[in-house]
Amino acid sequence: MDVDGQTSDNVIPLPYLPAASSSDWQLMPRIDEASNSGDVKLVDRFIKLVDELDNRVEKLRKDAITLQEKKDYLSMSMDLLKNNDLLTNLEEYEREEITCYMQRVGSRLATVELNVKTVRNSAQEECLHQVNVLIDSVISNSDAVISRQRCQMFLNACEGAPEATGSSRDAHEVSVDKKFESSLLGCTLDDQKTIKKRLNALISYLNKQTISD
């Protein structure tokens, strides 16, 4: 602001990120200081800047969600390994060695903290909890065939949820776990998408395990 109360043309910069960062993020957006910028209202220049920041925030959320899904996949893999019935074929000292190794890996995984908040009401929180309990019961089941069958029924429920897939299924074609479906439909759209991705990863593992057995 200059002395007579008029806005000056000085640039209003935002911070630079360290040079080691991705080239897309090295230079943060800034107010346009082009010579013809006086033709554009100052409020419009700020709106353009905020629009660019909004786009970057959305990209950051998507990247963080992707990382969260990768962490969840690793955690699920650890749980499946812990419950693998082939561990019983090992000698006791071998099982202890593997168990200690998995605990170390699990502890390292726990040091990675990611949190992309999804706004939920109390009913949606409860539905998500019920879904997670049902999926965990599949993971902890040592019978790969039964686990695969239940997991497929959960996936069938996802295929029948328009919120999750944008499509519907023919009821006579597939078998669905009604309890899971009811809880799934009570979840948020973002949670439904994440649940389906988690189940797809789980069914892929269980299919391979069943074929191997």
Side-chain angles (χ1 to χ4, degrees):
M1 188 78 69
D2 61 21
V3 292
D4 60 3
Q6 299 297 318
T7 303
S8 69
D9 290 332
N10 291 338
V11 171
I12 306 176
L14 290 176
Y16 286 83
L17 288 180
S21 302
S22 167
S23 59
D24 291 340
W25 288 83
Q26 284 181 24
L27 179 61
M28 297 297 288
R30 49 194 294 160
I31 297 294
D32 185 8
E33 58 179 326
S35 58
N36 62 352
S37 61
D39 299 333
V40 182
K41 291 182 179 180
L42 183 59
V43 64
D44 293 332
R45 294 162 65 191
F46 270 102
I47 289 175
K48 181 179 179 181
L49 175 63
V50 177
D51 282 343
E52 185 172 350
L53 286 171
D54 186 32
N55 291 334
R56 295 194 179 193
V57 168
E58 183 59 27
K59 183 180 185 302
L60 178 64
R61 278 182 56 86
K62 290 180 179 178
D63 291 344
I65 289 172
T66 298
L67 288 174
Q68 180 65 66
E69 290 172 352
K70 290 181 178 179
K71 181 184 177 182
D72 290 344
Y73 176 81
L74 290 172
S75 178
M76 182 174 66
S77 298
M78 292 290 296
D79 289 338
L80 288 166
L81 191 57
K82 290 175 183 176
N83 291 286
N84 193 300
D85 58 353
L86 291 178
L87 285 174
T88 59
N89 296 335
L90 298 177
E91 298 290 342
E92 183 177 355
Y93 77 92
E94 293 174 326
R95 285 198 304 274
E96 291 178 355
E97 181 180 355
I98 295 298
T99 299
C100 289
Y101 193 4
M102 287 192 292
Q103 288 175 344
R104 290 199 300 273
V105 175
S107 296
R108 290 182 61 198
L109 181 60
T111 64
V112 180
E113 295 185 358
L114 297 163
N115 182 26
V116 182
K117 185 176 180 180
T118 298
V119 179
R120 309 180 185 94
N121 58 36
S122 58
Q124 291 167 335
E125 289 279 3
E126 178 60 26
C127 285
L128 179 61
H129 172 70
Q130 292 173 2
V131 165
N132 286 331
V133 168
L134 289 169
I135 294 177
D136 289 343
S137 70
V138 170
I139 293 173
S140 61
N141 193 323
S142 59
D143 190 319
V145 175
I146 293 177
S147 293
R148 184 186 63 80
Q149 291 173 347
R150 290 201 69 201
C151 186
Q152 185 60 59
M153 292 173 69
F154 293 171
L155 264 176
N156 292 342
C158 292
E159 295 298 335
E163 294 85 351
T165 64
S167 63
S168 60
R169 64 166 191 273
D170 292 329
H172 66 278
E173 291 183 353
V174 294
S175 178
V176 173
D177 187 295
K178 295 297 183 181
K179 182 178 180 181
F180 180 89
E181 182 178 48
S182 176
S183 297
L184 176 72
L185 292 174
C187 295
T188 67
L189 174 60
D190 287 341
D191 285 335
Q192 289 183 22
K193 292 178 180 178
T194 301
I195 290 165
K196 185 178 181 182
K197 290 179 180 179
R198 185 183 181 195
L199 288 172
N200 274 319
L202 180 56
I203 196 70
S204 177
Y205 171 87
L206 292 172
N207 281 335
K208 292 178 181 177
Q209 187 181 26
T210 303
I211 293 172
S212 176
D213 291 346

